[in-house]
C-alpha cells in the first residue's frame, strides 16, 4: 500500500492548481460574478433561485407547507440554478453575493427584498406569514437553537464527511475517520432529543425540522453520499421515526421535487411556477433536459 507523502504547507498559500475532486472545476478562492447573466422573473411575488440539494429543499418544503396551510401569498416561482458555474452569473450574485443556493427575492413590496442563506430564508418566510415559528418564548427559543444547530453542524456533514468520503480525489483515512466520528455524534445528539420529543422543538413541527430533515433525514435513509451502511444509520431509531413522519407529509413530498434534476423522472420538477406543475410538468411528463 502506497503511503501518502507528508504535506508541508508553504508559508503563503497560492492558487496554482485545481483542488481535485468532483467540484474542482467550480472551486475558486475569490468571489463575484464570472459572467453576465440576468435572472428570470415570474409572475409571483416570491422568486426562488435554487437546486434541490438539502439546503434548497429546506425552502421549497417551507413554501409548500405554507401553501398547504392556506397562505396564498406564499405562491412562488422556483427557477433552477445548477451549481456548474451558473451560480456565478451576475444576476445570481446580485441576489446572493456568496454564490450559493438557495436565494430568494421577495417582490411583494415596491422595493424588492433579497434574502440569502437557507436559515435566513426560513426565518424570513416564517415571520412574514406567522407560521411554523412558535410565539411562546420557550418553544421559540428551542426552534432557533435547533435551527442554528443545523447551520453549524451540517458543514461537518457535507463539507467534511461528505467531501472526504464521496468526493475527494484521494481517500484519506484520518479525514474520513475524523468526520465520521463527528457525524455519528451529531446523529446521537438528534436521537437523544427525539427520544422524548415528537419534533425538535417539542410537540410542534417547525422550521427547525424543515432545516434539519433534508440533511439528517436524507442521511438516515442512506440517500446522502451512499453512506448509510458505513455510518450504521439504522441504529438511530428515534431519528428514523422522525424522518419517516416528516417524509410522509404531502407538502414535504412536493417540496423535495422542486428544482430536482436527478432520480426518477416522476420525482423531478425542474422549475415550479404553479401548483398544477406537480401534475403536468414533471420530467416523466415532458421529458425535456434541465435548463442551461
Amino acid at each position: 500500500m502506497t503511503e501518502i507523502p507528508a504535506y508541508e504547507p508553504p508559508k503563503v498559500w497560492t492558487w496554482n492548481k485545481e483542488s481535485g475532486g468532483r467540484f474542482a472545476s467550480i472551486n475558486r478562492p475569490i468571489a463575484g460574478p464570472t459572467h453576465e447573466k440576468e435572472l428570470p422573473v415570474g409572475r409571483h411575488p416570491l422568486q426562488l433561485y435554487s437546486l434541490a440539494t438539502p439546503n434548497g429543499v429546506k425552502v421549497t418544503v417551507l413554501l409548500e407547507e405554507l401553501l398547504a396551510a392556506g397562505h396564498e401569498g406564499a405562491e412562488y416561482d422556483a427557477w433552477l440554478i445548477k451549481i456548474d458555474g451558473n451560480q456565478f452569473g451576475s444576476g445570481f450574485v446580485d441576489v446572493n453575493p456568496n454564490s450559493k443556493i438557495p436565494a430568494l427575492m421577495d417582490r411583494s413590496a415596491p422595493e424588492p427584498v433579497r434574502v440569502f442563506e437557507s436559515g435566513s430564508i426560513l426565518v424570513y418566510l416564517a415571520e412574514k406569514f406567522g407560521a411554523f415559528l412558535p410565539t411562546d418564548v420557550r418553544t421559540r427559543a428551542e426552534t432557533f437553537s435547533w435551527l442554528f444547530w443545523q447551520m453549524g453542524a451540517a458543514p461537518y456533514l457535507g463539507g467534511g464527511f461528505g467531501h472526504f468520503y464521496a468526493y475527494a480525489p484521494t481517500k484519506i483515512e484520518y479525514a474520513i475517520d475524523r468526520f465520521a466520528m463527528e457525524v455519528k455524534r451529531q446523529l446521537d445528539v438528534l436521537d437523544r432529543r427525539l427520544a422524548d420529543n415528537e419534533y425538535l422543538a417539542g410537540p410542534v413541527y417547525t422550521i427547525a425540522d424543515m432545516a434539519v430533515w433534508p440533511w439528517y433525514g436524507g442521511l438516515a435513509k442512506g440517500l446522502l453520499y451512499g453512506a448509510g451502511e458505513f455510518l450504521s444509520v439504522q441504529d438511530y431509531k428515534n431519528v428514523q421515526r422522525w424522518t419517516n413522519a416528516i417524509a410522509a407529509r404531502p407538502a414535504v413530498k412536493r417540496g423535495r421535487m422542486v428544482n430536482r434534476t436527478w432520480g426518477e423522472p416522476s420525482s423531478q420538477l425542474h422549475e415550479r411556477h404553479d401548483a398544477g406543475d406537480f401534475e403536468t410538468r414533471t420530467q416523466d411528463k415532458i421529458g425535456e433536459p434541465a435548463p442551461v
Side-chain angles (χ1 to χ4, degrees):
M1 183 175 178
T2 304
E3 290 189 5
I4 300 173
Y7 170 64
E8 183 68 30
K11 290 184 178 179
V12 178
W13 183 86
T14 57
W15 184 35
N16 54 20
K17 63 181 182 298
E18 285 191 350
S19 58
R22 179 172 172 182
F23 299 104
S25 63
I26 61 171
N27 290 334
R28 58 193 186 123
I30 53 176
T34 59
H35 59 282
E36 293 294 320
K37 186 174 183 179
E38 292 186 6
L39 289 177
V41 178
R43 63 188 178 91
H44 299 299
L46 297 177
Q47 299 291 301
L48 179 68
Y49 303 94
S50 192
L51 181 70
T53 65
N55 284 335
V57 169
K58 297 175 192 176
V59 178
T60 49
V61 163
L62 174 55
L63 286 165
E64 292 298 327
E65 290 282 13
L66 288 168
L67 290 169
H71 297 279
E72 296 180 2
E75 269 294 349
Y76 67 105
D77 291 277
W79 303 94
L80 179 64
I81 300 292
K82 293 189 289 183
I83 50 175
D84 57 1
N86 275 281
Q87 72 272 35
F88 301 123
S90 57
F92 187 75
V93 175
D94 283 345
V95 181
N96 185 352
N98 197 36
S99 293
K100 305 288 185 182
I101 62 93
L104 178 76
M105 285 295 294
D106 183 356
R107 298 178 175 274
S108 61
E111 189 70 27
V113 176
R114 77 174 187 184
V115 194
F116 60 92
E117 293 297 322
S118 57
S120 178
I121 297 173
L122 293 182
V123 173
Y124 178 83
L125 292 172
E127 290 185 334
K128 179 181 178 72
F129 294 101
F132 302 109
L133 181 56
T135 56
D136 70 280
V137 172
R138 184 180 298 276
T139 314
R140 186 180 181 88
E142 200 72 34
T143 300
F144 277 124
S145 291
W146 287 105
L147 172 63
F148 285 98
W149 176 87
Q150 185 277 316
M151 302 300 290
Y156 291 96
L157 170 54
F161 174 77
H163 175 77
F164 287 106
Y165 183 80
Y167 301 143
T170 303
K171 302 297 184 188
I172 302 172
E173 182 180 7
Y174 171 79
I176 293 173
D177 284 352
R178 169 67 181 86
F179 287 110
M181 182 181 297
E182 171 60 14
V183 169
K184 287 182 69 66
R185 188 194 69 82
Q186 293 174 2
L187 285 168
D188 193 45
V189 169
L190 289 174
D191 206 61
R192 290 168 184 267
R193 172 62 181 172
L194 293 167
D196 301 313
N197 295 277
E198 184 177 3
Y199 298 106
L200 290 172
V204 293
Y205 175 57
T206 71
I207 57 172
D209 300 288
M210 298 178 206
V212 175
W213 179 82
W215 281 104
Y216 295 89
L219 186 69
K221 291 303 174 186
L223 303 177
L224 292 186
Y225 315 120
E229 182 179 5
F230 181 74
L231 296 172
S232 302
V233 294
Q234 72 282 351
D235 293 346
Y236 303 95
K237 303 299 184 184
N238 302 310
V239 174
Q240 292 289 340
R241 185 269 307 162
W242 168 83
T243 295
N244 292 337
I246 293 176
R249 297 177 68 91
V252 172
K253 293 179 181 179
R254 292 193 297 273
R256 290 189 66 227
M257 296 169 64
V258 179
N259 298 141
R260 185 178 176 88
T261 61
W262 57 88
E264 290 297 322
S266 60
S267 73
Q268 300 180 35
L269 183 62
H270 290 179
E271 291 186 353
R272 188 263 193 219
H273 304 291
D274 183 84
D277 290 348
F278 292 101
E279 301 298 328
T280 62
R281 299 290 296 172
T282 51
Q283 286 306 106
D284 60 318
K285 303 290 198 314
I286 63 174
E288 296 177 0
V292 176

